[in-house]
Amino acid sequence: KAGVTQTPRYLIKTRGQQVTLSCSPISGHRSVSWYQQTPGQGLQFLFEYFSETQRNKGNFPGRFSGRQFSNSRSEMNVSTLELGDSALYLCASSLLAGVADTQYFGPGTRLTVL
Amino acid sequence: DAKTTQPNSMESNEEEPVHLPCNHSTISGTDYIHWYRQLPSQGPEYVIHGLTSNVNNRMASLAIAEDRKSSTLILHRATLRDAAVYYCILRVVTYSGAGSYQLTFGKGTKLSVIP
C-alpha cells in the first residue's frame, strides 16, 4: 500500500505570494491533518479534515487554510507569505480520527520564503 | 492541553537496550499514550501506543506505570537506525464542536546511538 505523498517536496516563494501544497493520504484513510515544523517552534498542528469537513484548527492566522476533497486528498493554502512561514509542512493521514488511531506522515514539503 | 515531560537527550550504545522515559502527571482516564519518532530529514513515524496495559510490537515495548502518570518506551536493542527524536504524546479527546484529535508534539528526546 502506498504511503502518504506530498507535492511538491521543495518550494521557493517570495514574500507576498501565495502557495498551495497537496497531500494524498493512504488509500482508504479519511482523516488528514497538517502540521508545520520549524526549528524554533517544533511541530505545530495546523488543521484536521475528516470526510471533507474541517474538524479542528490550530492557532494559526487566517492566511493558512485548507480543504479536503471527496477522494480524501487535501490541499493547504498559505496566502500573503511571510518570511516566518518558511518551514517543513507535514501531512498525516489516519483511517478514522480517533484517539487510538495511528497517524501516518508524509515526507513533507519544504517551503522557503525569500 | 495535557502535557508530557521528556529528557532533552539521551545516549545509548549500539545493541544495548534503551529506556526512554516520559512523565504525564495530568493524564486523564481516556487519554492514550502515543510514541512517535522522527528520523533526520523525515516525517514522524508511529512507534507504539497504549492506554493502561503494557504493549509490545515489532519496534518497541511500552511500559505504563500503574497510576499512568509516567511511561517508558523500551527499544530492546538499539541500532544506528534508531537515532532519532522520540516524542511522547497524549491523545486527548476534547469536546469543542466536533471534537479534537490532533497530535500535540513537545520537544521530544533526541536519542544518539554510539557504535
Side-chain angles (χ1 to χ4, degrees):
Chain A
K1 188 183 274 192
V4 177
T5 58
Q6 293 187 244
T7 56
R9 292 291 312 278
Y10 302 91
L11 204 51
I12 299 175
K13 292 285 188 179
T14 57
R15 277 181 299 174
Q17 287 186 309
Q18 75 165 18
V19 67
T20 299
L21 311 181
S22 180
C23 171
S24 292
I26 292 172
S27 177
H29 285 195
R30 296 170 63 189
S31 171
V32 173
S33 298
W34 288 89
Y35 296 83
Q36 181 197 63
Q37 185 171 29
T38 60
Q41 299 297 319
L43 274 152
Q44 293 185 287
F45 170 76
L46 279 158
F47 26 66
E48 180 212 353
Y49 287 87
F50 183 79
S51 293
E52 301 180 66
T53 301
Q54 186 181 90
R55 292 170 57 89
N56 196 40
K57 192 176 192 302
N59 190 25
F60 279 81
R63 300 184 297 106
F64 291 82
S65 63
R67 58 179 177 169
Q68 186 180 32
F69 301 96
S70 58
N71 61 358
S72 293
R73 191 178 69 84
S74 177
E75 289 181 347
M76 69 162 282
N77 183 276
V78 187
S79 63
T80 319
L81 284 166
E82 301 177 0
L83 294 178
D85 297 333
S86 293
L88 180 66
Y89 289 89
L90 291 156
C91 164
S93 77
S94 63
L95 188 60
L96 298 173
V99 290
D101 285 324
T102 298
Q103 290 198 5
Y104 296 88
F105 285 80
T109 294
R110 172 76 63 185
L111 172 64
T112 302
V113 182
L114 302 176
Chain B
D1 285 349
K3 293 191 184 298
T4 62
T5 304
Q6 300 177 253
N8 290 333
S9 62
M10 290 184 65
E11 274 188 357
S12 173
N13 293 318
E14 196 176 7
E15 297 192 5
E16 289 188 355
V18 184
H19 290 235
L20 298 163
C22 180
N23 286 316
H24 29 77
S25 58
T26 60
I27 194 170
S28 68
T30 55
D31 298 345
Y32 276 79
I33 302 159
H34 286 244
W35 284 81
Y36 283 74
R37 70 180 185 181
Q38 188 171 22
L39 281 65
S41 303
Q42 295 188 25
E45 172 188 36
Y46 167 79
V47 177
I48 200 167
H49 77 275
L51 183 60
T52 56
S53 305
N54 294 345
V55 184
N56 299 297
N57 66 20
R58 62 174 182 83
M59 287 182 69
S61 295
L62 176 60
I64 301 173
E66 200 168 326
D67 63 5
R68 301 187 72 232
K69 294 184 184 299
S70 66
S71 61
T72 302
L73 178 70
I74 303 165
L75 306 179
H76 296 287
R77 288 179 71 234
T79 70
L80 296 178
R81 292 178 57 187
D82 291 322
V85 178
Y86 286 78
Y87 297 98
C88 170
I89 299 165
L90 296 184
R91 296 296 299 276
V92 178
V93 175
T94 63
Y95 295 95
S96 56
S100 164
Y101 303 98
Q102 76 267 25
L103 297 174
T104 301
F105 289 86
K107 300 291 186 187
T109 297
K110 184 175 183 179
L111 174 66
S112 301
V113 180
I114 303 166

